Amino acid sequence: MQLMLKNKRLAFAALATPQAIGDGEPAYGGRLIISPNDPDVKVIDDAIVAVAKDKWKDKADDILSVLREDKKICFLKAPYRSSKTGKVYDGFEDTFSLGMRNPKARPTAIDKYGKEITDKSDIERILYSGAYVHAKVEIWAQDNSFGRRINCSVLGVMFADDGQSFGGGSAPASADEFASMAQKPEDALGGDGGDYV
């Protein structure tokens, strides 16, 4: 089931290059931070129940109960913690989060103007951990030799707004912030309006 989630803070961004989490295989993905009172909590919960019922029919409630206990559902309704230290990650205090992965295809990356971004360094610069994004995701039920899970694949991510970077420091400056200080091209060359050298 595909969902469009708007204005969520992005963390652990791996949208340009696949990254491995723990012993898992490298994949594109990230984690969306979601406030417990966000209306999308119900949207995500409903999608999880719907895909479970589609996959497991009348056994869905029991299977979901086990998957929740075993933390095998992509939507975590508790602060996200380090598996090594048990400490809650910065930015995840008192929040829920949705883990997104896509081991096969790089998700579509889009800037705030709706233009697709294809350069890896531009993707990392624009869709950084800490930015607010709109994300198209697909919730689906897994039942195979690797076990049962409820997964979330990331299909596309669009930049929505700047936020404090999780990588340390603030978000990169935008050209708009310097617009009022910029010179006209003719000022830079003594007023003759010629080309830059």
Side-chain angles (χ1 to χ4, degrees):
M1 177 175 289
Q2 294 186 2
L3 305 175
M4 183 66 80
L5 304 174
K6 297 179 181 176
N7 294 312
K8 306 296 183 260
R9 195 168 181 212
L10 177 65
F12 301 102
L15 301 172
T17 306
Q19 294 180 12
I21 299 172
D23 296 330
E25 66 172 306
Y28 298 101
R31 190 165 278 274
L32 298 177
I33 300 173
I34 302 171
S35 169
N37 59 7
D38 188 315
D40 281 336
V41 168
K42 182 177 185 328
V43 172
I44 297 166
D45 279 340
D46 289 349
I48 288 169
V49 170
V51 299
K53 285 187 175 176
D54 186 52
K55 177 66 91 175
W56 297 302
K57 311 298 182 215
D58 58 340
K59 298 178 184 174
D61 289 341
D62 291 335
I63 292 171
L64 277 176
S65 181
V66 171
L67 295 180
R68 285 190 181 99
E69 287 173 18
D70 293 345
K71 297 184 178 169
K72 292 187 175 177
I73 293 182
C74 54
F75 189 36
L76 178 62
K77 295 175 87 171
Y80 188 54
R81 300 175 179 274
S82 165
S83 59
K84 293 181 181 176
T85 66
K87 184 178 178 229
V88 174
Y89 286 107
D90 289 342
F92 286 85
E93 302 86 354
D94 304 315
T95 66
F96 298 164
S97 61
L98 181 68
M100 314 176 294
R101 287 177 47 83
N102 195 332
K104 295 177 182 174
R106 185 166 83 185
T108 304
I110 303 166
D111 69 14
K112 66 181 175 181
Y113 304 108
K115 182 181 172 195
E116 186 171 352
I117 316 162
T118 56
D119 181 78
K120 287 183 179 182
S121 62
D122 286 342
I123 294 171
E124 290 171 351
R125 178 178 56 81
I126 295 168
L127 297 170
Y128 59 91
S129 290
Y132 288 85
V133 301
H134 308 307
K136 185 173 184 181
V137 301
E138 183 170 24
I139 307 291
W140 57 283
Q142 169 187 316
D143 192 342
N144 57 26
S145 59
F146 297 102
R148 289 175 170 163
R149 302 184 67 91
I150 301 291
N151 295 318
C152 176
S153 296
V154 56
L155 305 177
V157 179
M158 178 180 185
F159 177 85
D161 203 357
D162 283 313
Q164 173 113 14
S165 172
F166 285 121
S170 299
S174 71
D176 294 344
E177 295 176 90
F178 292 94
S180 65
M181 297 175 270
Q183 296 180 15
K184 296 176 184 167
E186 58 269 18
D187 294 341
L189 298 172
D192 66 0
D195 294 332
Y196 286 104
V197 197

